[in-house]
Amino acid sequence: MTVIVVMGVSGSGKTTVGTAVARALGVEYAEADAFHPQANIDKMTAGRPLTDEDRAPWLAAIATWIAEHQESGGVVSSSALKRRYRDVLRGSGQVWFLHLDGSHDLLAKRMKTRTGHFMPVSLLDSQLADLEPLEPDEPGSTFDISRSPADVVAAALTAFRECA
């Protein structure tokens, strides 16, 4: 069964959309932040962007979760900013990427107004600089986050079901 990877930069709504999609499909949802080692969280909290080396164990943990959910299906969030990161995730089983995309201003506004999250707005520019949009050969679709979360979820479910 395909696992949906909800991807995008911080503030794009991965948790909101991922939780709703998982609920609609009746599958488990996993939050990407839960896979980070504490050192990564500390680094981001201090306003320092992660390196590829920092991300390697995090990506490996998410890939393991994907592999473990190939029979049941599932939804997991992951920024999955670069093609090579998505290649790691795709190497663990059948996945479909749900890319949440939005303007810098909207993302920054969302990040400034949320509470209880370690990611500072100061890292948004580095995430956007690293972001490599889905390529035509990658399974998935991109959705504009200026739409309501309910609209994004409905459109994503339609696109996912059409490809299944």
Side-chain angles (χ1 to χ4, degrees), residues 34-89:
F35 295 96
H36 273 299
Q38 187 61 44
N40 284 6
I41 294 171
D42 293 345
K43 190 172 186 177
M44 289 182 284
T45 301
R48 296 190 327 265
L50 299 179
T51 65
D52 287 351
E53 294 76 27
D54 295 328
R55 287 186 178 99
W58 173 70
L59 288 166
I62 295 170
T64 297
W65 190 92
I66 290 169
E68 292 170 347
H69 288 80
Q70 285 299 289
E71 287 187 33
S72 63
V75 177
V76 62
S77 61
S78 170
S79 55
L81 298 175
K82 297 179 181 181
R83 167 75 186 241
R84 66 178 169 268
Y85 303 163
R86 296 190 296 272
D87 289 346
V88 169
L89 301 179

